[in-house]
Amino acid sequence: MLELSKKNLNLLFILSTIVGTGANDQDTSWKSVELGVDISFDLEKKPLEIKTDSALGSEDEIRLYFLSADGNRSGAIVIRFSQKIEYTIAKCLKSFHGIQEVSPDVTDNIWKVSLNKTADIRLQIHCNSVKTIDMVISDETCGRSEWRTFWSMVTETIRFQANDTASVFFRYGSGTDFTAPYIDGLFGRTI
């Protein structure tokens, strides 16, 4: 039986994606993550999808910055593959919080990050098409006072930080429904 390495599986994944999708006006093909590089990406128009292959307990992290036109951080998230998968939202949450909806047995995950600033500032994160985080960033949900200055800036670029150890590929994702009610597991209320 042929044994495939992680590198060969990732190459196979890229090739199958390229063959399976034709060229169109919105490039949805997977691109390799380059750490520390600013990438033009409007999260308010299209969500970002990130492919990871990190195992639970590996301590790998997705470390993603959102940047304004002048290069200032306009948001940031960290997702850590600890004994449980946990996340934090920069300039908002003071600590990491667990994500219960992600299967601990799955190592190949596709994360979809969406940002909507139409009526308020809403961050959504899906893992393998399951909504895991749906948070209105506000005085009620943030434990830090500087959230408003930080998160209200317009995001024009993203950057996978140099110490990101989990993100392998990224691409434009499909739209997100921000109107569906969601029970916020962190705060235990419908938002």
Side-chain angles (χ1 to χ4, degrees):
M1 186 101 201
L2 177 66
E3 187 172 315
L4 293 174
S5 69
K6 187 183 258 189
K7 185 176 179 181
N8 288 340
L9 284 173
N10 285 335
L11 182 59
L12 184 61
F13 178 78
I14 290 174
L15 290 174
S16 67
T17 303
I18 291 170
V19 171
T21 60
N24 59 34
D25 60 338
Q26 296 203 353
D27 188 3
T28 59
S29 60
W30 290 101
K31 295 164 190 58
S32 293
V33 167
E34 293 182 56
L35 302 178
V37 175
D38 292 357
I39 303 160
S40 178
F41 203 108
D42 188 345
L43 273 174
E44 294 180 54
K45 290 186 179 172
K46 288 301 262 182
L48 168 70
E49 289 187 349
I50 303 167
K51 183 185 180 308
T52 61
D53 57 10
S54 299
L56 199 62
S58 68
E59 298 299 325
D60 285 348
E61 292 181 336
I62 297 171
R63 299 187 66 86
L64 182 65
Y65 281 6
F66 311 147
L67 304 165
S68 66
D70 57 4
N72 290 319
R73 284 195 301 164
S74 58
I77 60 169
V78 177
I79 298 174
R80 180 186 298 157
F81 295 82
S82 237
Q83 294 308 314
K84 61 182 179 178
I85 298 177
E86 51 191 13
Y87 73 99
T88 192
I89 298 172
K91 306 291 186 192
C92 178
L93 300 178
K94 292 183 177 182
S95 61
F96 280 85
H97 298 274
I99 298 175
Q100 305 302 322
E101 294 82 1
V102 179
S103 173
D105 301 328
V106 176
T107 56
D108 289 332
N109 292 302
I110 296 177
W111 300 85
K112 181 164 50 171
V113 180
S114 306
L115 188 61
N116 185 321
K117 295 183 181 179
T118 305
D120 46 31
I121 301 170
R122 179 178 227 110
L123 176 70
Q124 284 188 349
I125 300 177
H126 292 74
C127 181
N128 300 329
S129 300
V130 175
K131 191 183 301 182
T132 58
I133 299 166
D134 187 355
M135 184 172 173
V136 173
I137 298 174
S138 67
D139 289 331
E140 290 77 34
T141 58
C142 291
R144 297 175 181 260
S145 60
E146 66 267 27
W147 74 266
R148 187 179 309 276
T149 303
F150 189 69
W151 282 94
S152 62
M153 287 186 269
V154 174
T155 297
E156 294 195 8
T157 60
I158 60 169
R159 179 189 309 143
F160 294 93
Q161 285 304 103
N163 53 351
D164 182 319
T165 52
S167 303
V168 180
F169 302 108
F170 75 97
R171 70 177 179 186
Y172 284 97
S174 58
T176 300
D177 179 10
F178 284 98
T179 60
Y182 174 75
I183 303 299
D184 183 352
L186 178 61
F187 299 99
R189 62 176 187 252
T190 302
I191 57 175

